[in-house]
Structure formats: C-alpha cells, structure tokens
Amino acid sequence: MLSEMFSFPFMVNAYRAGTIVAVLAGAVGYLMVLRQQSFVGHTLSAVGFPGAAGALLLGLTAPLGYYAFCLVAALVISRVHHAERSAQAAVVGTVQAFALASGYLFVVLYKGVLSGTTALLFGSFLGITSTQVVVMAGVATVLLTALVILGRPLLFASLDPDAARAAGVPVALLDLLFLLLLGATAAGVVQITGSLMVFTLLVLPAAAARELSCRPGRALATSILIALLVTWTALAVAYSSPYPLGFWLSTLAFGTFLAAKAVSRVRA
Amino acid sequence: MLTQPFMQHALLAGTPIALAAGLVGWFLVLRAQVFTADALSHVAFTGALAALAVGIDPRLGLFAITIAVGLALSGLGPRGQPDDTIIGGVFAWVLGLGVLFLSIYTSGSSGGNGTAAVAVLFGSVLGLSHDRALVAALIAVVCFLAMLALARPLLMASIDPRVAAARRLPVRLLGAAFLGVVATTAAEASQVVGALLILGLVTAPAATASRLSTHPYRAMALSCALAVGATWAGLFLSFYLPSTPPSFAILAVATAAFILTFAPWRHHAVLALVHGRRSEA
C-alpha cells in the first residue's frame, strides 16, 4: 500500500510538507504551551483564512496571503502583549473574530463560497505543489535556526519573565519575536491542514509531551516526535479512508494526549 | 427596510441575543475566559453538523453538545476554570469531529451541500423564519435573565474568589452555571453571526466597555448596548450594501467601536458621554 501511495506525486508532496510542518509545529507549539499562549496560537492560525481568501480575491497566491496576514496579526497582538491578561485576551478575541469575518467577506466577494471555503478552512493536502514545499522548507529552515539561536533566552523568559528581565534578557523583544515565529509557523501549517485545524498540530503534541517530561529539551524533542508520527499516520489513514485529514489528525493527536496523560498519572 | 419580514425576524432574534452576548461577554473578559468562549463557539459548529449528519434539527445538536462541553469544561479545572492547554486540546479534537460530520453530511444521501456548513460557520440571520426567530429570542431572553440573576454573586466570585468562598458563595457552582449560560448563548449567537464569529459578538463590545468604564454595572450595561447597537447597525448596513454579509457588518461595527477607544480624543468625547454629568464635576 505504501509504494502505491508514494507513486502519486501529490502524496509525496503531502508527506514532504507534512514532515516540515510537523517539526515546526511540534517545536513552536511546545513553547506556545509553555508560555500559555494557546489562545494567541489559535488566533494566528485562524487569521490564515482571510489571508488566503484575500490573496485569491486580489489574484495572488494563497501562501503569500497566509504569511502576510499571520505576521501582521502577530504584530497587532504584540502591541497589546504587555497589557493585563484579561485585556489582552479581549484584544486577541476581537482580532480573531474580525479576521474570520473579513475572510467570509472576501469569500462572498470572490463568489467562491461553495467549494473554496471549506477547503480553506479544513485543508486540502492533495493540492500541495512542489514550489509550495520548497518555500515551506526555506521558511522552516529560517524559523528553526531562529529558534535554536533564541532557544535558551526564550525558555528563560517564558518560564520566569521577571527573573529574566532582572538578568538583562530582552523579554519584550523575545515576546515579539516569538509571536512572529508562531505566526510564520501557523502560516506554514495552514497550507496542509486548513486554517481551522492548524491548532491541532500546535497544541496537542505539545500538550502530550508536557505530560511525559518536565525537562524542556526532552519535552521539545518528544513534541516534535509525536507531531511527526501523528502527521505521517494521519496522512496514510486519510489517503486510504473516505474521511478527511483534519479528523484523523485531531483524533490521533488527542488519543496520544490522553495516552500521555494516563502514563503520567500511572508514574505519579 | 423594517417592512421586510426577514429584517423583522433578524431584529427579533438578533436584539435579545446581542443583549445576552454583551452581558456574558463582559464576564468572560473579567474572568479571563475568552478562550473558553472561543472553544465553545467551535463546539457549536460540531454540534450543528453532528445533528445535520444524523438528520435531526441542527439546533438540537447545537444546544445539546455545546452545553454538555461547556459544563464538562467547568469540571476540568480548579474553580471551574480549566487550563488553556486542556481547553485547546479538547476543542481541537471536537473541531476534528466537526470536520468528520461535515464530510459525512456533504457526501451522504441526505442531500447536504457546502452551503449548510457555511451557514453554520458564518451565520444566516436573514434566513430565519418567524418561528425560529421567536424561539431564538425566547431562549436569549432566558439567558439574559439568568445572567442578571447571576451577576452579583458571580461578580464577587470573579473578583475575589477567596472572600466569596468565605462568605459561603458557591464559587465552583457559579463558575459551572456561568459556563452553562455561556454555552447556551454561544449556541444562540451561532444562529445570528455563525459559529466562527460568536467570539466577536461576545468579546468586542465587552472589551470596548471595559476600556470605557471600570464601574462594573455601568460597563455591563454599556457592553449590552454596544452589542445591540452593533447588531442593529450591522443589519442596517448589510441591507443597504447587498454584497456585505450581515455577520461581517455586525463584527465590523463592533470592532470599529473597539478601535475607536484607542483614539487619543476618546477621553473628552466618549467618556463624557458614558459617565454623563459625573465627569464634568
């Protein structure tokens, strides 16, 4: 079955893109969970929808819209980042809802409501082009390099911002850089999962890894590994079943999360 | 405009739903539970599509599943407030189930198509029949009254849970009851602005109100007024600009009001309006 599956170029591309995306989402998602920024992560993923719809409306390619909108949304959210937690959530929520509403307006103006919308929201891993994979790989290389460079101070600033600030770590700058990293990751993942399912790959492998290890390095590696296994399996299952990738991806990831929770409870 | 029956139905359902959303939203912002509302709005999508896939009235699935998940979430954490990661994990999976139901529904023999999913996601307020609008309005009034009844104890339990517990207020129960009302309101609001945009109707007016007034009851009233105002203005705009969907117009007005609170001159003009004679004194 495997050789048959990989005889299709679109499945090869789906696996290439899926691998890139899983490594990114596993790593950046772990930091997102550590920093308790799930809501921001979900908002940046949702912003991909108006990005793609707007790009299509203007006659541009969807990936351009994904990156532009996700990075701009990250900048907008970073403006209020220093605010009190509840006020910040209110801004994030407003950004998300307005972004989705704009996406809907773009789709209505584009008159592509029937077929296009669900593909943008729930993904269509069958249509990934080789160019898209190359761009994704390039972006992922930049993002992962940035993550390696920022790793230690970012971890410090995430775990104890006050102590980090006192030690001279530029916490505000790191906050901004992390949001941009999260936005770019979401823009990459959205191309394979659709904008409503990005969040699955960001939050669930990381949440499972957090249950399995409290040492950051090991948890980060576990998160990437889980994201990879879940993505590979989900792609194979989605290929041979009539049900969509988003369902398999979220179900496998949620199952892994529950299993990790059970393991950590047995250990304790 | 008001002689059109579809506009009358939209206003009949939209007004009380906006009232409830404004009040619920203010508490969501106060309690830092906006993400929970985000999660419940996606659950509403799954609920409606589950019912469509099985072939029953989507409202049944909408209310049953949203309220069930809302109450379940309140049981997952201390003080009825679960951790962000848990909420995120649960709703990512629930959304995945929604995608499954969507594919079952669109490929099934029930004659479904993409329009139904889009209506669930982005609302179809102008397509409400008189009976549906009336039922939606009645449920919204019940939500609003329930919130009014909860307001005082919930305010205390939100601001200082320990003092509230010491005064024998059932803090946990209040948290659960509140999430029950949030879930019902989310299911209601999905009929007006759609599952994906509930968050805006709930958050934007509340966030605007919180920036304009720190007085709890005044901010609550303001949040309700802003939500109703945005709904009316949005319906009005989409009536005269036919290519603008009503849910977009409603959220655009609500978001514009929020952005205006960041304008430098807001202190003189808006605050005086909100606080009346007090700010002059």
Side-chain angles (χ1 to χ4, degrees):
Chain A
M1 189 208 103
L2 275 181
S3 62
E4 184 210 291
M5 186 169 80
F6 286 119
S7 67
F8 292 107
F10 67 81
M11 278 315 287
V12 176
N13 274 343
Y15 264 84
R16 283 179 184 149
T19 307
I20 298 168
V21 150
V23 172
L24 254 186
V28 177
Y30 175 69
L31 283 162
M32 177 190 85
V33 164
L34 205 62
R35 296 167 62 87
Q36 293 277 322
Q37 285 190 313
S38 296
F39 189 30
V40 175
H42 180 240
T43 296
L44 290 178
S45 344
V47 166
F49 170 58
L56 290 176
L57 187 64
L58 294 174
L60 303 169
T61 58
L64 196 68
Y66 285 132
Y67 288 110
F69 269 62
C70 291
L71 291 177
V72 168
L75 284 176
V76 170
I77 291 171
S78 78
R79 297 283 300 166
V80 292
H81 191 73
H82 50 85
E84 187 189 339
R85 204 174 164 77
S86 66
Q88 192 188 323
V91 173
V92 174
T94 307
V95 167
Q96 181 190 124
F98 183 65
L100 287 170
S102 307
Y104 181 45
L105 176 72
F106 296 155
V107 167
V108 170
L109 292 176
Y110 185 66
K111 297 190 171 37
V113 176
L114 286 183
S115 58
T117 315
T118 41
L120 288 180
L121 290 171
F122 300 114
S124 58
F125 65 99
L126 302 180
I128 294 169
T129 61
S130 301
T131 331
Q132 239 171 315
V133 174
V134 172
V135 173
M136 254 185 223
V139 172
T141 314
V142 173
L143 295 181
L144 288 174
T145 313
L147 201 59
V148 170
I149 296 171
L150 296 178
R152 283 187 68 88
L154 187 60
L155 207 57
F156 189 15
S158 307
L159 291 172
D160 195 340
D162 292 329
R165 211 170 282 125
V169 176
V171 175
L173 180 68
L174 283 172
D175 284 344
L176 170 67
L177 289 176
F178 180 72
L179 281 178
L180 289 174
L181 207 61
L182 191 56
T185 303
V189 182
V190 74
Q191 298 175 46
I192 178 161
T193 59
S195 62
L196 288 188
M197 300 309 297
V198 176
F199 190 58
T200 301
L201 217 47
L202 280 176
V203 77
L204 282 170
R210 191 181 66 164
E211 296 290 334
L212 293 175
S213 174
C214 47
R215 286 169 55 184
R218 191 176 292 176
L220 188 78
T222 314
S223 174
I224 294 175
L225 189 69
I226 294 174
L228 275 173
L229 290 177
V230 163
T231 309
W232 287 340
T233 318
L235 278 171
V237 179
Y239 167 78
S240 50
S241 87
Y243 301 119
L245 177 69
F247 165 67
W248 294 115
L249 207 56
S250 62
T251 302
L252 288 169
F254 191 66
T256 314
F257 168 65
L258 290 183
K261 228 176 156 47
V263 168
S264 80
R265 192 156 291 179
V266 169
R267 270 196 209 153
Chain B
M1 179 180 97
L2 292 176
T3 56
Q4 300 282 353
F6 68 87
M7 280 306 275
Q8 291 168 357
H9 301 157
L11 287 171
L12 172 65
T15 309
I17 289 175
L19 263 182
L23 192 52
V24 163
W26 189 81
F27 275 102
L28 284 168
V29 170
L30 176 74
R31 294 166 63 85
Q33 281 190 311
V34 179
F35 189 47
T36 312
D38 185 19
L40 287 175
S41 65
H42 288 77
V43 171
F45 163 73
T46 301
L49 278 171
L52 283 173
V54 178
I56 53 176
D57 189 327
R59 282 177 292 171
L60 214 59
L62 188 65
F63 283 104
I65 293 185
T66 318
I67 295 171
V69 173
L71 292 178
L73 278 180
S74 77
L76 282 177
R79 292 202 282 117
Q81 290 201 12
D83 166 25
D84 264 13
T85 308
I86 307 282
I87 300 175
V90 169
F91 98 76
W93 181 57
V94 171
L95 198 56
L97 290 181
V99 179
L100 172 71
F101 293 132
L102 174 65
S103 88
I104 292 175
Y105 177 62
T106 48
S107 64
S109 54
S110 48
N113 56 47
T115 347
V118 171
V120 170
L121 287 169
F122 296 107
S124 54
V125 68
L126 296 180
L128 290 177
S129 69
H130 180 261
D131 290 351
R132 284 195 59 173
L134 197 62
V135 173
L138 286 176
I139 297 174
V141 169
V142 172
C143 280
F144 181 67
L145 292 177
M147 268 323 289
L148 279 185
L150 282 176
R152 224 187 123 76
L154 188 63
L155 188 61
M156 188 175 277
S158 308
I159 291 173
D160 199 335
R162 284 191 198 147
V163 172
R167 286 198 177 186
R168 305 191 175 212
L169 276 179
V171 175
R172 228 193 135 85
L173 189 68
L174 279 169
F178 175 60
L179 278 188
V181 180
V182 173
T184 317
T185 311
E188 276 284 290
S190 81
Q191 298 180 43
V192 178
V193 289
L196 285 186
L197 308 184
I198 292 168
L199 191 61
L201 192 61
V202 166
T203 327
T208 314
S210 307
R211 284 185 59 83
L212 291 178
S213 177
T214 49
H215 185 285
Y217 293 110
R218 196 171 289 154
M220 281 178 216
L222 189 59
S223 176
C224 292
L226 283 164
V228 172
T231 305
W232 286 351
L235 286 172
F236 183 78
L237 275 177
S238 76
F239 185 80
Y240 288 105
L241 302 170
S243 63
T244 318
S247 43
F248 168 76
I250 291 171
L251 285 210
V253 174
T255 310
F258 179 58
I259 292 172
L260 277 182
T261 63
F262 289 91
W265 39 262
R266 73 186 169 93
H267 294 284
H268 308 293
V270 187
L271 288 184
L273 199 72
V274 173
H275 293 274
R277 289 192 198 99
R278 277 191 173 211
S279 57
E280 288 162 24

